[in-house]
Amino acid sequence: MLPDDWAELDVDSRNHYLRNLLKEDHEVTFTKVDGSIRVMPCTLRDSAMPQRAVNENHKTRAYNPETLSVWCLDKSEWRSFRVMNVTKVKLLSTDH
């Protein structure tokens, strides 16, 4: 589900694109800092996380376009990844 021009997008454009996609649950594949590949089911959908996590997400933080913090669905906690390291995005079932 990445756009055809993904490789040409700058870091800020990638960040905004992913934020918009993650309003629904997706499986994001990326290369971790250590070089390994991670496939992470994640979301930014408020109803997918406990209220405590929603409140944590709305804390004031400086915007860093290089990383994106998301709610990891298999770990049930916040995780982040570098947007330039994303290689694939797949929509998960929408039966929520």
Side-chain angles (χ1 to χ4, degrees):
M1 263 180 92
L2 294 176
D4 292 336
D5 64 345
W6 182 250
E8 288 81 43
L9 293 179
D10 65 19
V11 67
D12 194 53
S13 297
R14 286 185 183 203
N15 188 298
H16 287 294
Y17 181 84
L18 291 168
R19 278 181 193 277
N20 190 48
L21 275 186
L22 290 170
K23 291 176 183 174
E24 295 183 87
D25 302 353
H26 280 76
E27 185 177 83
V28 177
T29 303
F30 58 94
T31 305
K32 294 171 49 172
V33 174
D34 68 6
S36 63
I37 302 298
R38 167 85 154 104
V39 178
M40 180 171 55
C42 57
T43 192
L44 290 174
R45 183 173 51 86
D46 286 350
S47 61
M49 49 188 110
Q51 188 60 43
R52 167 191 56 79
V54 173
N55 291 339
E56 289 172 7
N57 187 38
H58 290 99
K59 288 181 181 176
T60 302
R61 295 183 191 182
Y63 171 67
N64 178 358
E66 294 180 6
T67 62
L68 184 59
S69 294
V70 296
W71 185 253
C72 180
L73 295 167
D74 62 350
K75 303 285 185 186
S76 295
E77 57 187 34
W78 289 106
R79 298 292 177 146
S80 63
F81 53 83
R82 294 182 182 274
V83 298
M84 295 305 285
N85 294 351
V86 173
T87 57
K88 184 177 176 184
V89 179
K90 176 183 160 190
L91 180 66
L92 294 176
S93 172
T94 57
D95 56 343
H96 41 47

